[in-house]
PDB file of all heavy atoms in Angstrom:
ATOM      1  N   GLU A 333       7.308  60.986 -33.578  1.00 98.00           N
ATOM      2  CA  GLU A 333       8.552  61.733 -33.735  1.00 98.00           C
ATOM      3  C   GLU A 333       9.751  60.802 -33.830  1.00 98.00           C
ATOM      4  O   GLU A 333      10.674  61.049 -34.613  1.00 98.00           O
ATOM      5  CB  GLU A 333       8.690  62.742 -32.601  1.00 98.00           C
ATOM      6  CG  GLU A 333       7.639  63.833 -32.719  1.00 98.00           C
ATOM      7  CD  GLU A 333       7.664  64.866 -31.621  1.00 98.00           C
ATOM      8  OE1 GLU A 333       8.581  64.817 -30.759  1.00 98.00           O
ATOM      9  OE2 GLU A 333       6.775  65.736 -31.622  1.00 98.00           O
ATOM     10  N   TRP A 336       9.787  59.482 -37.449  1.00 98.00           N
ATOM     11  CA  TRP A 336      10.275  60.506 -38.378  1.00 98.00           C
ATOM     12  C   TRP A 336      11.790  60.674 -38.246  1.00 98.00           C
ATOM     13  O   TRP A 336      12.509  60.664 -39.242  1.00 98.00           O
ATOM     14  CB  TRP A 336       9.598  61.852 -38.120  1.00 98.00           C
ATOM     15  CG  TRP A 336       8.246  62.032 -38.740  1.00 98.00           C
ATOM     16  CD1 TRP A 336       7.079  62.279 -38.083  1.00 98.00           C
ATOM     17  CD2 TRP A 336       7.912  62.022 -40.139  1.00 98.00           C
ATOM     18  NE1 TRP A 336       6.050  62.410 -38.990  1.00 98.00           N
ATOM     19  CE2 TRP A 336       6.538  62.262 -40.256  1.00 98.00           C
ATOM     20  CE3 TRP A 336       8.655  61.827 -41.303  1.00 98.00           C
ATOM     21  CZ2 TRP A 336       5.871  62.315 -41.477  1.00 98.00           C
ATOM     22  CZ3 TRP A 336       8.003  61.879 -42.537  1.00 98.00           C
ATOM     23  CH2 TRP A 336       6.633  62.119 -42.617  1.00 98.00           C
ATOM     24  N   GLY A 343      16.644  67.570 -43.099  1.00 98.00           N
ATOM     25  CA  GLY A 343      15.459  68.401 -42.927  1.00 98.00           C
ATOM     26  C   GLY A 343      14.407  67.790 -42.009  1.00 98.00           C
ATOM     27  O   GLY A 343      13.402  68.442 -41.711  1.00 98.00           O
ATOM     28  N   ILE A 344      14.639  66.565 -41.542  1.00 98.00           N
ATOM     29  CA  ILE A 344      13.619  65.888 -40.739  1.00 98.00           C
ATOM     30  C   ILE A 344      13.414  66.583 -39.392  1.00 98.00           C
ATOM     31  O   ILE A 344      12.289  66.629 -38.887  1.00 98.00           O
ATOM     32  CB  ILE A 344      13.940  64.380 -40.583  1.00 98.00           C
ATOM     33  CG1 ILE A 344      12.657  63.596 -40.299  1.00 98.00           C
ATOM     34  CG2 ILE A 344      14.977  64.126 -39.519  1.00 98.00           C
ATOM     35  CD1 ILE A 344      11.694  63.546 -41.430  1.00 98.00           C
ATOM     36  N   ASP A 345      14.483  67.147 -38.816  1.00 98.00           N
ATOM     37  CA  ASP A 345      14.330  67.888 -37.552  1.00 98.00           C
ATOM     38  C   ASP A 345      13.368  69.055 -37.726  1.00 98.00           C
ATOM     39  O   ASP A 345      12.538  69.330 -36.845  1.00 98.00           O
ATOM     40  CB  ASP A 345      15.677  68.406 -37.054  1.00 98.00           C
ATOM     41  CG  ASP A 345      16.612  67.313 -36.597  1.00 98.00           C
ATOM     42  OD1 ASP A 345      16.126  66.250 -36.171  1.00 98.00           O
ATOM     43  OD2 ASP A 345      17.840  67.523 -36.666  1.00 98.00           O
ATOM     44  N   GLU A 346      13.460  69.732 -38.860  1.00 98.00           N
ATOM     45  CA  GLU A 346      12.577  70.863 -39.131  1.00 98.00           C
ATOM     46  C   GLU A 346      11.134  70.395 -39.327  1.00 98.00           C
ATOM     47  O   GLU A 346      10.193  71.074 -38.908  1.00 98.00           O
ATOM     48  CB  GLU A 346      13.063  71.648 -40.353  1.00 98.00           C
ATOM     49  CG  GLU A 346      14.353  72.402 -40.116  1.00 98.00           C
ATOM     50  CD  GLU A 346      15.624  71.551 -40.249  1.00 98.00           C
ATOM     51  OE1 GLU A 346      15.541  70.357 -40.619  1.00 98.00           O
ATOM     52  OE2 GLU A 346      16.715  72.084 -39.953  1.00 98.00           O
ATOM     53  N   LEU A 347      10.952  69.237 -39.966  1.00 98.00           N
ATOM     54  CA  LEU A 347       9.605  68.693 -40.129  1.00 98.00           C
ATOM     55  C   LEU A 347       8.996  68.361 -38.771  1.00 98.00           C
ATOM     56  O   LEU A 347       7.844  68.710 -38.495  1.00 98.00           O
ATOM     57  CB  LEU A 347       9.613  67.450 -41.021  1.00 98.00           C
ATOM     58  CG  LEU A 347       8.272  66.730 -41.168  1.00 98.00           C
ATOM     59  CD1 LEU A 347       7.214  67.638 -41.774  1.00 98.00           C
ATOM     60  CD2 LEU A 347       8.442  65.459 -41.984  1.00 98.00           C
ATOM     61  N   VAL A 348       9.752  67.716 -37.914  1.00 98.00           N
ATOM     62  CA  VAL A 348       9.264  67.371 -36.575  1.00 98.00           C
ATOM     63  C   VAL A 348       8.908  68.640 -35.792  1.00 98.00           C
ATOM     64  O   VAL A 348       7.869  68.708 -35.131  1.00 98.00           O
ATOM     65  CB  VAL A 348      10.290  66.500 -35.818  1.00 98.00           C
ATOM     66  CG1 VAL A 348       9.931  66.372 -34.350  1.00 98.00           C
ATOM     67  CG2 VAL A 348      10.393  65.115 -36.473  1.00 98.00           C
ATOM     68  N   GLU A 349       9.730  69.657 -35.889  1.00 98.00           N
ATOM     69  CA  GLU A 349       9.441  70.919 -35.206  1.00 98.00           C
ATOM     70  C   GLU A 349       8.174  71.563 -35.767  1.00 98.00           C
ATOM     71  O   GLU A 349       7.352  72.114 -35.020  1.00 98.00           O
ATOM     72  CB  GLU A 349      10.627  71.881 -35.309  1.00 98.00           C
ATOM     73  CG  GLU A 349      10.443  73.178 -34.556  1.00 98.00           C
ATOM     74  CD  GLU A 349      10.225  72.999 -33.058  1.00 98.00           C
ATOM     75  OE1 GLU A 349      10.649  71.975 -32.472  1.00 98.00           O
ATOM     76  OE2 GLU A 349       9.605  73.894 -32.451  1.00 98.00           O
ATOM     77  N   PHE A 350       7.999  71.502 -37.080  1.00 98.00           N
ATOM     78  CA  PHE A 350       6.774  72.006 -37.709  1.00 98.00           C
ATOM     79  C   PHE A 350       5.548  71.292 -37.138  1.00 98.00           C
ATOM     80  O   PHE A 350       4.542  71.937 -36.802  1.00 98.00           O
ATOM     81  CB  PHE A 350       6.843  71.822 -39.226  1.00 98.00           C
ATOM     82  CG  PHE A 350       5.530  71.969 -39.919  1.00 98.00           C
ATOM     83  CD1 PHE A 350       4.958  73.224 -40.110  1.00 98.00           C
ATOM     84  CD2 PHE A 350       4.847  70.854 -40.389  1.00 98.00           C
ATOM     85  CE1 PHE A 350       3.733  73.355 -40.750  1.00 98.00           C
ATOM     86  CE2 PHE A 350       3.620  70.975 -41.023  1.00 98.00           C
ATOM     87  CZ  PHE A 350       3.059  72.229 -41.206  1.00 98.00           C
ATOM     88  N   LEU A 351       5.620  69.965 -37.021  1.00 98.00           N
ATOM     89  CA  LEU A 351       4.493  69.212 -36.483  1.00 98.00           C
ATOM     90  C   LEU A 351       4.198  69.621 -35.044  1.00 98.00           C
ATOM     91  O   LEU A 351       3.036  69.761 -34.657  1.00 98.00           O
ATOM     92  CB  LEU A 351       4.763  67.707 -36.565  1.00 98.00           C
ATOM     93  CG  LEU A 351       4.898  67.145 -37.978  1.00 98.00           C
ATOM     94  CD1 LEU A 351       5.273  65.665 -37.932  1.00 98.00           C
ATOM     95  CD2 LEU A 351       3.639  67.372 -38.798  1.00 98.00           C
ATOM     96  N   ARG A 352       5.252  69.837 -34.267  1.00 96.00           N
ATOM     97  CA  ARG A 352       5.084  70.238 -32.861  1.00 96.00           C
ATOM     98  C   ARG A 352       4.416  71.604 -32.736  1.00 96.00           C
ATOM     99  O   ARG A 352       3.631  71.828 -31.812  1.00 96.00           O
ATOM    100  CB  ARG A 352       6.438  70.305 -32.156  1.00 96.00           C
ATOM    101  CG  ARG A 352       7.045  68.980 -31.843  1.00 96.00           C
ATOM    102  CD  ARG A 352       8.409  69.168 -31.200  1.00 96.00           C
ATOM    103  NE  ARG A 352       9.047  67.875 -30.978  1.00 96.00           N
ATOM    104  CZ  ARG A 352      10.351  67.719 -30.819  1.00 96.00           C
ATOM    105  NH1 ARG A 352      11.163  68.769 -30.846  1.00 96.00           N
ATOM    106  NH2 ARG A 352      10.847  66.517 -30.638  1.00 96.00           N
ATOM    107  N   THR A 353       4.738  72.519 -33.620  1.00 96.00           N
ATOM    108  CA  THR A 353       4.234  73.886 -33.505  1.00 96.00           C
ATOM    109  C   THR A 353       2.952  74.116 -34.302  1.00 96.00           C
ATOM    110  O   THR A 353       2.335  75.170 -34.170  1.00 96.00           O
ATOM    111  CB  THR A 353       5.311  74.906 -33.933  1.00 96.00           C
ATOM    112  OG1 THR A 353       5.692  74.639 -35.285  1.00 96.00           O
ATOM    113  CG2 THR A 353       6.532  74.824 -33.021  1.00 96.00           C
ATOM    114  N   SER A 354       2.561  73.151 -35.102  1.00 96.00           N
ATOM    115  CA  SER A 354       1.307  73.242 -35.853  1.00 96.00           C
ATOM    116  C   SER A 354       0.189  72.600 -35.034  1.00 96.00           C
ATOM    117  O   SER A 354       0.388  72.221 -33.886  1.00 96.00           O
ATOM    118  CB  SER A 354       1.450  72.509 -37.193  1.00 96.00           C
ATOM    119  OG  SER A 354       1.442  71.094 -36.989  1.00 96.00           O
ATOM    120  N   ASP A 355      -0.956  72.408 -35.650  1.00 95.00           N
ATOM    121  CA  ASP A 355      -2.061  71.736 -34.965  1.00 95.00           C
ATOM    122  C   ASP A 355      -2.097  70.234 -35.248  1.00 95.00           C
ATOM    123  O   ASP A 355      -3.092  69.572 -34.966  1.00 95.00           O
ATOM    124  CB  ASP A 355      -3.396  72.387 -35.335  1.00 95.00           C
ATOM    125  CG  ASP A 355      -3.811  72.148 -36.779  1.00 95.00           C
ATOM    126  OD1 ASP A 355      -2.969  71.687 -37.598  1.00 95.00           O
ATOM    127  OD2 ASP A 355      -4.977  72.414 -37.112  1.00 95.00           O
ATOM    128  N   PHE A 356      -1.016  69.676 -35.785  1.00 96.00           N
ATOM    129  CA  PHE A 356      -0.986  68.253 -36.158  1.00 96.00           C
ATOM    130  C   PHE A 356      -1.460  67.341 -35.028  1.00 96.00           C
ATOM    131  O   PHE A 356      -2.235  66.417 -35.255  1.00 96.00           O
ATOM    132  CB  PHE A 356       0.423  67.835 -36.605  1.00 96.00           C
ATOM    133  CG  PHE A 356       0.544  66.363 -36.903  1.00 96.00           C
ATOM    134  CD1 PHE A 356       0.078  65.852 -38.104  1.00 96.00           C
ATOM    135  CD2 PHE A 356       1.122  65.497 -35.990  1.00 96.00           C
ATOM    136  CE1 PHE A 356       0.177  64.488 -38.383  1.00 96.00           C
ATOM    137  CE2 PHE A 356       1.231  64.136 -36.259  1.00 96.00           C
ATOM    138  CZ  PHE A 356       0.758  63.631 -37.462  1.00 96.00           C
ATOM    139  N   TYR A 357      -0.996  67.567 -33.825  1.00 96.00           N
ATOM    140  CA  TYR A 357      -1.338  66.681 -32.704  1.00 96.00           C
ATOM    141  C   TYR A 357      -2.711  66.979 -32.094  1.00 96.00           C
ATOM    142  O   TYR A 357      -3.213  66.187 -31.307  1.00 96.00           O
ATOM    143  CB  TYR A 357      -0.258  66.731 -31.620  1.00 96.00           C
ATOM    144  CG  TYR A 357       1.039  66.130 -32.096  1.00 96.00           C
ATOM    145  CD1 TYR A 357       2.141  66.926 -32.381  1.00 96.00           C
ATOM    146  CD2 TYR A 357       1.165  64.757 -32.279  1.00 96.00           C
ATOM    147  CE1 TYR A 357       3.338  66.367 -32.834  1.00 96.00           C
ATOM    148  CE2 TYR A 357       2.348  64.190 -32.727  1.00 96.00           C
ATOM    149  CZ  TYR A 357       3.418  64.997 -33.001  1.00 96.00           C
ATOM    150  OH  TYR A 357       4.598  64.442 -33.449  1.00 96.00           O
ATOM    151  N   GLN A 358      -3.324  68.091 -32.456  1.00 94.00           N
ATOM    152  CA  GLN A 358      -4.643  68.442 -31.954  1.00 94.00           C
ATOM    153  C   GLN A 358      -5.741  68.274 -32.998  1.00 94.00           C
ATOM    154  O   GLN A 358      -6.908  68.110 -32.655  1.00 94.00           O
ATOM    155  CB  GLN A 358      -4.675  69.894 -31.463  1.00 94.00           C
ATOM    156  CG  GLN A 358      -3.850  70.158 -30.228  1.00 94.00           C
ATOM    157  CD  GLN A 358      -2.364  70.320 -30.540  1.00 94.00           C
ATOM    158  OE1 GLN A 358      -1.986  70.849 -31.568  1.00 94.00           O
ATOM    159  NE2 GLN A 358      -1.531  69.818 -29.650  1.00 94.00           N
ATOM    160  N   LEU A 373      -5.996  63.284 -36.255  1.00 96.00           N
ATOM    161  CA  LEU A 373      -5.036  63.268 -37.359  1.00 96.00           C
ATOM    162  C   LEU A 373      -3.759  62.519 -36.984  1.00 96.00           C
ATOM    163  O   LEU A 373      -3.279  61.677 -37.750  1.00 96.00           O
ATOM    164  CB  LEU A 373      -4.700  64.695 -37.799  1.00 96.00           C
ATOM    165  CG  LEU A 373      -3.672  64.837 -38.914  1.00 96.00           C
ATOM    166  CD1 LEU A 373      -4.098  64.063 -40.167  1.00 96.00           C
ATOM    167  CD2 LEU A 373      -3.446  66.315 -39.237  1.00 96.00           C
ATOM    168  N   LEU A 411      -0.694  65.030 -44.375  1.00 97.00           N
ATOM    169  CA  LEU A 411      -0.196  66.302 -43.840  1.00 97.00           C
ATOM    170  C   LEU A 411      -0.935  67.496 -44.427  1.00 97.00           C
ATOM    171  O   LEU A 411      -0.851  68.605 -43.901  1.00 97.00           O
ATOM    172  CB  LEU A 411       1.312  66.433 -44.056  1.00 97.00           C
ATOM    173  CG  LEU A 411       2.166  65.512 -43.188  1.00 97.00           C
ATOM    174  CD1 LEU A 411       3.647  65.751 -43.447  1.00 97.00           C
ATOM    175  CD2 LEU A 411       1.855  65.690 -41.715  1.00 97.00           C
ATOM    176  N   CYS A 412      -1.708  67.264 -45.462  1.00 94.00           N
ATOM    177  CA  CYS A 412      -2.548  68.324 -46.021  1.00 94.00           C
ATOM    178  C   CYS A 412      -3.571  68.814 -45.008  1.00 94.00           C
ATOM    179  O   CYS A 412      -4.125  69.900 -45.147  1.00 94.00           O
ATOM    180  CB  CYS A 412      -3.269  67.821 -47.264  1.00 94.00           C
ATOM    181  SG  CYS A 412      -4.330  66.385 -46.949  1.00 94.00           S
ATOM    182  N   LYS A 413      -3.826  68.015 -43.978  1.00 94.00           N
ATOM    183  CA  LYS A 413      -4.841  68.361 -42.987  1.00 94.00           C
ATOM    184  C   LYS A 413      -4.309  69.206 -41.827  1.00 94.00           C
ATOM    185  O   LYS A 413      -5.060  69.563 -40.930  1.00 94.00           O
ATOM    186  CB  LYS A 413      -5.501  67.088 -42.467  1.00 94.00           C
ATOM    187  CG  LYS A 413      -6.281  66.368 -43.561  1.00 94.00           C
ATOM    188  CD  LYS A 413      -6.928  65.110 -43.060  1.00 94.00           C
ATOM    189  CE  LYS A 413      -7.690  64.425 -44.189  1.00 94.00           C
ATOM    190  NZ  LYS A 413      -8.352  63.197 -43.707  1.00 94.00           N
ATOM    191  N   VAL A 414      -3.034  69.531 -41.845  1.00 94.00           N
ATOM    192  CA  VAL A 414      -2.484  70.461 -40.857  1.00 94.00           C
ATOM    193  C   VAL A 414      -3.049  71.843 -41.177  1.00 94.00           C
ATOM    194  O   VAL A 414      -3.052  72.275 -42.333  1.00 94.00           O
ATOM    195  CB  VAL A 414      -0.939  70.468 -40.900  1.00 94.00           C
ATOM    196  CG1 VAL A 414      -0.375  71.600 -40.060  1.00 94.00           C
ATOM    197  CG2 VAL A 414      -0.389  69.125 -40.443  1.00 94.00           C
ATOM    198  N   SER A 415      -3.575  72.512 -40.184  1.00 92.00           N
ATOM    199  CA  SER A 415      -4.191  73.845 -40.345  1.00 92.00           C
ATOM    200  C   SER A 415      -5.344  73.825 -41.340  1.00 92.00           C
ATOM    201  O   SER A 415      -5.593  74.809 -42.037  1.00 92.00           O
ATOM    202  CB  SER A 415      -3.146  74.881 -40.770  1.00 92.00           C
ATOM    203  OG  SER A 415      -2.130  74.963 -39.809  1.00 92.00           O
ATOM    204  N   LYS A 441      -1.186  68.416 -51.833  1.00 94.00           N
ATOM    205  CA  LYS A 441      -0.908  69.300 -50.708  1.00 94.00           C
ATOM    206  C   LYS A 441      -0.049  68.591 -49.663  1.00 94.00           C
ATOM    207  O   LYS A 441       0.867  69.193 -49.095  1.00 94.00           O
ATOM    208  CB  LYS A 441      -2.207  69.799 -50.085  1.00 94.00           C
ATOM    209  CG  LYS A 441      -1.998  70.891 -49.060  1.00 94.00           C
ATOM    210  CD  LYS A 441      -3.335  71.465 -48.643  1.00 94.00           C
ATOM    211  CE  LYS A 441      -3.174  72.513 -47.578  1.00 94.00           C
ATOM    212  NZ  LYS A 441      -4.484  73.033 -47.148  1.00 94.00           N
ATOM    213  N   SER A 442      -0.313  67.307 -49.418  1.00 96.00           N
ATOM    214  CA  SER A 442       0.529  66.551 -48.484  1.00 96.00           C
ATOM    215  C   SER A 442       1.968  66.513 -48.980  1.00 96.00           C
ATOM    216  O   SER A 442       2.911  66.684 -48.202  1.00 96.00           O
ATOM    217  CB  SER A 442      -0.016  65.131 -48.308  1.00 96.00           C
ATOM    218  OG  SER A 442      -1.268  65.158 -47.656  1.00 96.00           O
ATOM    219  N   SER A 444       3.377  68.712 -50.962  1.00 96.00           N
ATOM    220  CA  SER A 444       3.907  70.067 -50.862  1.00 96.00           C
ATOM    221  C   SER A 444       4.437  70.336 -49.457  1.00 96.00           C
ATOM    222  O   SER A 444       5.537  70.879 -49.293  1.00 96.00           O
ATOM    223  CB  SER A 444       2.818  71.079 -51.227  1.00 96.00           C
ATOM    224  OG  SER A 444       3.283  72.391 -51.088  1.00 96.00           O
ATOM    225  N   VAL A 445       3.669  69.937 -48.450  1.00 96.00           N
ATOM    226  CA  VAL A 445       4.108  70.128 -47.066  1.00 96.00           C
ATOM    227  C   VAL A 445       5.395  69.348 -46.820  1.00 96.00           C
ATOM    228  O   VAL A 445       6.375  69.886 -46.294  1.00 96.00           O
ATOM    229  CB  VAL A 445       3.010  69.710 -46.060  1.00 96.00           C
ATOM    230  CG1 VAL A 445       3.543  69.714 -44.640  1.00 96.00           C
ATOM    231  CG2 VAL A 445       1.791  70.615 -46.186  1.00 96.00           C
ATOM    232  N   LEU A 446       5.407  68.068 -47.192  1.00 98.00           N
ATOM    233  CA  LEU A 446       6.605  67.243 -46.988  1.00 98.00           C
ATOM    234  C   LEU A 446       7.824  67.833 -47.668  1.00 98.00           C
ATOM    235  O   LEU A 446       8.906  67.905 -47.088  1.00 98.00           O
ATOM    236  CB  LEU A 446       6.371  65.825 -47.516  1.00 98.00           C
ATOM    237  CG  LEU A 446       5.657  64.867 -46.601  1.00 98.00           C
ATOM    238  CD1 LEU A 446       5.273  63.608 -47.352  1.00 98.00           C
ATOM    239  CD2 LEU A 446       6.513  64.533 -45.396  1.00 98.00           C
ATOM    240  N   ASP A 448       8.535  70.756 -48.381  1.00 98.00           N
ATOM    241  CA  ASP A 448       9.059  71.972 -47.761  1.00 98.00           C
ATOM    242  C   ASP A 448      10.184  71.634 -46.787  1.00 98.00           C
ATOM    243  O   ASP A 448      10.959  72.515 -46.415  1.00 98.00           O
ATOM    244  CB  ASP A 448       7.954  72.720 -47.006  1.00 98.00           C
ATOM    245  CG  ASP A 448       7.025  73.500 -47.919  1.00 98.00           C
ATOM    246  OD1 ASP A 448       7.366  73.689 -49.107  1.00 98.00           O
ATOM    247  OD2 ASP A 448       5.953  73.912 -47.436  1.00 98.00           O
ATOM    248  N   PHE A 449      10.264  70.364 -46.369  1.00 98.00           N
ATOM    249  CA  PHE A 449      11.224  69.960 -45.349  1.00 98.00           C
ATOM    250  C   PHE A 449      12.200  68.874 -45.786  1.00 98.00           C
ATOM    251  O   PHE A 449      13.370  68.927 -45.434  1.00 98.00           O
ATOM    252  CB  PHE A 449      10.475  69.477 -44.091  1.00 98.00           C
ATOM    253  CG  PHE A 449       9.590  70.528 -43.508  1.00 98.00           C
ATOM    254  CD1 PHE A 449       8.229  70.550 -43.787  1.00 98.00           C
ATOM    255  CD2 PHE A 449      10.121  71.526 -42.715  1.00 98.00           C
ATOM    256  CE1 PHE A 449       7.409  71.540 -43.265  1.00 98.00           C
ATOM    257  CE2 PHE A 449       9.314  72.524 -42.182  1.00 98.00           C
ATOM    258  CZ  PHE A 449       7.954  72.535 -42.470  1.00 98.00           C
TER     259      PHE A 449
END
Side-chain angles (χ1 to χ4, degrees):
E333 292 178 5
W336 278 120
I344 204 68
D345 291 333
E346 290 82 5
L347 175 60
V348 169
E349 184 60 25
F350 165 75
L351 296 176
R352 286 178 184 159
T353 59
S354 74
D355 69 347
F356 176 79
Y357 293 108
Q358 292 80 35
L373 178 57
L411 289 182
C412 59
K413 295 180 180 181
V414 170
S415 301
K441 189 172 177 182
S442 293
S444 178
V445 172
L446 277 169
D448 283 346
F449 301 98

